[in-house]
């Protein structure tokens, strides 16, 4: 087995690349292959930590993978592109679709739609890629809508993931909640029950609980309802929904953490069958290397029509 390293494989450690290339080969066999020179780079024995360069030739002399490459299936795609260049794709996720696939649901995901979109544009050809696939760098709950970040090449995806992890991409949400809430920083602790997929928020820490934080700013309030902008500081599953409910300010339309009577009213009047929670803005900070041109850029989306209608009606007077 022999391949030539392209731009989407370059920059990786040799062992990490081979692990992705030969997924079904045991790790022990891969590292033994490096030690014994059965894995060669440019015809020579190589170290596991060697950083691959475009044009390098990687050979696995005695290792054989029986894994068949997964066939790419194109699907029709029609979604809103918020921002796109050669490195980054920001798209609007709609309620009811997952960002990633899970074992319980075989329906197309946002990632499936994006890959088909890039394939149609000629920006992604799975036949030309050895291990790389464009991928999302953040995720939203199934019924949360808004901006999702995708890296279009290996180097950009790596940098974007680092920036998200280090909070150098600030993420802001618009939400409509019940009652008033004071502006400021809110911290608590969360634990998710994987059996029922429900998260519970606590004021006190414990070993199984993870710390959460958000910054709240009120945009409008009539006392009964408040429109908020929230900066997500930590990114736990269901965090904003569970935390706001814990504080006595459940999100409208949230069937897990919201108020059933209020939700029924908005469902009957507006057809709102999902939470009024929208990932509307990203701010890029401390950008480096290939993404330095994004420094201090703010990219935002307007609220979807149904959210605009509800907001205007709630704050009409």
């Amino acid at each position: 087995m022999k391949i030539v390293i392209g731009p989407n494989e370059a920059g990786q450690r040799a062992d990490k690349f081979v692990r992705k290339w030969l997924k079904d080969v045991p790790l022990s066999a891969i590292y033994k292959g490096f030690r014994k020179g059965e894995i060669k780079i440019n015809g020579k024995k190589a170290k596991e930590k060697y950083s691959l360069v475009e044009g390098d030739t990687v050979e696995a002399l005695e290792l054989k993978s029986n894994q068949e490459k997964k066939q790419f299936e194109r699907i029709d795609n029609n979604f809103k592109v918020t921002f796109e260049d050669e490195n980054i794709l920001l798209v609007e996720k709609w309620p009811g679709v997952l960002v990633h696939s899970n074992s319980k649901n075989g329906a197309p995901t946002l990632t499936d739609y994006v890959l088909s979109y890039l394939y149609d544009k000629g920006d992604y050809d799975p036949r030309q890629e050895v291990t790389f696939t464009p991928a999302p760098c953040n995720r939203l709950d199934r019924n949360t809508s808004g901006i999702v970040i995708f890296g279009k090449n290996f180097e950009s995806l790596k940098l974007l993931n680092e920036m998200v992890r280090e909070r150098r991409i600030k993420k802001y949400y618009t939400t409509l909640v019940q009652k008033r809430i004071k502006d400021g920083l809110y911290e608590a602790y969360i634990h998710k029950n994987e059996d029922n997929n429900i998260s519970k928020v606590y004021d006190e820490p414990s070993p199984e609980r993870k710390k959460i934080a958000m910054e709240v700013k009120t945009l409008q309030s009539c006392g009964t309802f408040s429109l908020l902008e929230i900066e997500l500081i930590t990114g736990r599953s269901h965090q904003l929904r569970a935390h706001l409910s814990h504080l006595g300010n459940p999100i409208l339309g949230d069937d897990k953490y919201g108020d059933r009577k209020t939700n029924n009213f908005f469902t009957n009047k507006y057809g709102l069958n999902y939470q009024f929670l929208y990932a509307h803005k990203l701010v890029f900070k401390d950008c480096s290397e290939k993404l330095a041109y994004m420094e201090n850029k703010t990219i935002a989306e307007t609220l979807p029509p149904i959210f605009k209608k509800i907001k205007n009606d709630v704050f009409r007077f």
Side-chain angles (χ1 to χ4, degrees):
M1 299 184 69
K2 180 178 180 179
I3 63 162
V4 177
I5 297 300
N8 284 327
E9 287 76 50
Q12 300 180 63
R13 275 179 43 152
D15 58 342
K16 291 186 176 181
F17 167 74
V18 174
R19 286 169 63 177
K20 287 188 281 186
W21 177 34
L22 307 177
K23 285 183 180 178
D24 62 335
V25 174
L27 290 182
S28 58
I30 288 174
Y31 285 103
K32 181 181 177 182
F34 276 105
R35 289 195 306 272
K36 291 186 171 291
E38 294 167 354
I39 296 175
K40 294 183 181 292
I41 298 176
N42 300 324
K44 299 177 182 178
K45 183 178 178 181
K47 300 277 189 183
E48 298 97 322
K49 295 181 180 180
Y50 173 76
S51 183
L52 294 170
V53 177
E54 187 173 354
D56 280 347
T57 299
V58 181
E59 296 175 86
L61 302 179
E62 301 296 331
L63 301 177
K64 185 176 180 181
S65 173
N66 295 316
Q67 178 177 271
E68 291 186 10
K69 193 167 185 178
K70 185 179 177 182
Q71 291 297 311
F72 175 74
E73 295 183 13
R74 184 203 167 276
I75 56 175
D76 290 337
N77 52 89
N78 182 23
F79 51 80
K80 188 174 184 179
V81 174
T82 301
F83 174 87
E84 183 177 11
D85 63 15
E86 67 274 14
N87 300 314
I88 302 171
L89 174 63
L90 307 181
V91 303
E92 182 187 50
K93 175 191 169 302
W94 57 98
V97 66
L98 292 169
V99 175
H100 299 277
S101 63
N102 65 21
S103 57
K104 300 176 184 177
N105 188 347
T109 66
L110 183 65
T111 300
D112 294 326
Y113 289 110
V114 165
L115 292 180
S116 291
Y117 164 79
L118 293 174
Y119 177 80
D120 290 347
K121 286 187 70 208
D123 288 351
Y124 169 63
D125 185 349
R127 295 168 299 183
Q128 302 299 319
E129 300 292 346
V130 181
T131 61
F132 177 76
T133 304
C137 306
N138 64 316
R139 69 171 62 195
L140 301 176
D141 295 338
R142 180 196 297 271
N143 286 324
T144 298
S145 51
I147 302 173
V148 176
I149 309 164
F150 281 81
K152 293 175 62 176
N153 53 66
F154 173 76
E155 186 178 352
S156 299
L157 181 61
K158 180 182 175 184
L159 290 171
L160 287 166
N161 280 326
E162 287 176 1
M163 291 177 69
V164 168
R165 187 168 58 249
E166 296 168 4
R167 292 194 54 243
R168 291 185 281 137
I169 300 178
K170 296 184 179 294
K171 295 175 281 187
Y172 295 85
Y173 291 70
T174 300
T175 186
L176 188 62
V177 303
Q178 291 184 242
K179 304 178 185 177
R180 294 184 188 273
I181 182 172
K182 289 183 179 180
D183 290 357
L185 176 67
Y186 288 84
E187 298 179 325
Y189 301 87
I190 197 166
H191 179 258
K192 185 176 181 181
N193 184 325
E194 298 294 342
D195 293 331
N196 60 16
N197 196 33
I198 292 178
S199 296
K200 187 171 175 58
V201 173
Y202 304 85
D203 295 319
E204 301 298 328
S206 74
E208 72 275 7
R209 300 170 189 169
K210 297 176 180 178
K211 189 173 183 180
I212 55 174
M214 63 179 177
E215 185 85 28
V216 174
K217 177 183 177 183
T218 302
L219 302 177
Q220 286 179 275
S221 183
C222 63
T224 305
F225 301 106
S226 296
L227 185 73
L228 311 177
E229 180 182 70
I230 298 179
E231 181 187 353
L232 183 67
I233 296 174
T234 54
R236 307 298 182 189
S237 180
H238 298 186
Q239 175 188 323
L240 296 181
R241 299 162 59 195
H243 199 178
L244 287 164
S245 180
H246 174 75
L247 294 169
N249 305 97
I251 297 173
L252 265 65
D254 192 335
D255 64 348
K256 279 194 174 177
Y257 305 100
D259 178 78
R260 182 177 297 178
K261 185 177 178 181
T262 303
N263 288 348
N264 286 341
F265 172 81
F266 282 90
T267 297
N268 293 332
K269 186 168 183 178
Y270 299 98
L272 183 68
N273 296 312
Y274 41 84
Q275 54 264 18
F276 192 128
L277 180 63
Y278 190 76
H280 78 282
K281 185 170 71 176
L282 299 170
V283 179
F284 291 77
K285 296 287 186 181
D286 300 322
C287 302
S288 60
E289 300 177 47
K290 194 170 185 173
L291 301 180
Y293 65 92
M294 293 295 292
E295 181 67 23
N296 292 324
K297 276 198 176 184
T298 297
I299 298 175
E301 265 292 358
T302 57
L303 287 175
I306 186 173
F307 288 168
K308 285 183 183 177
K309 171 67 174 169
I310 293 171
K311 176 183 79 91
N312 292 339
D313 286 358
V314 165
F315 299 111
R316 183 183 302 167
F317 302 109

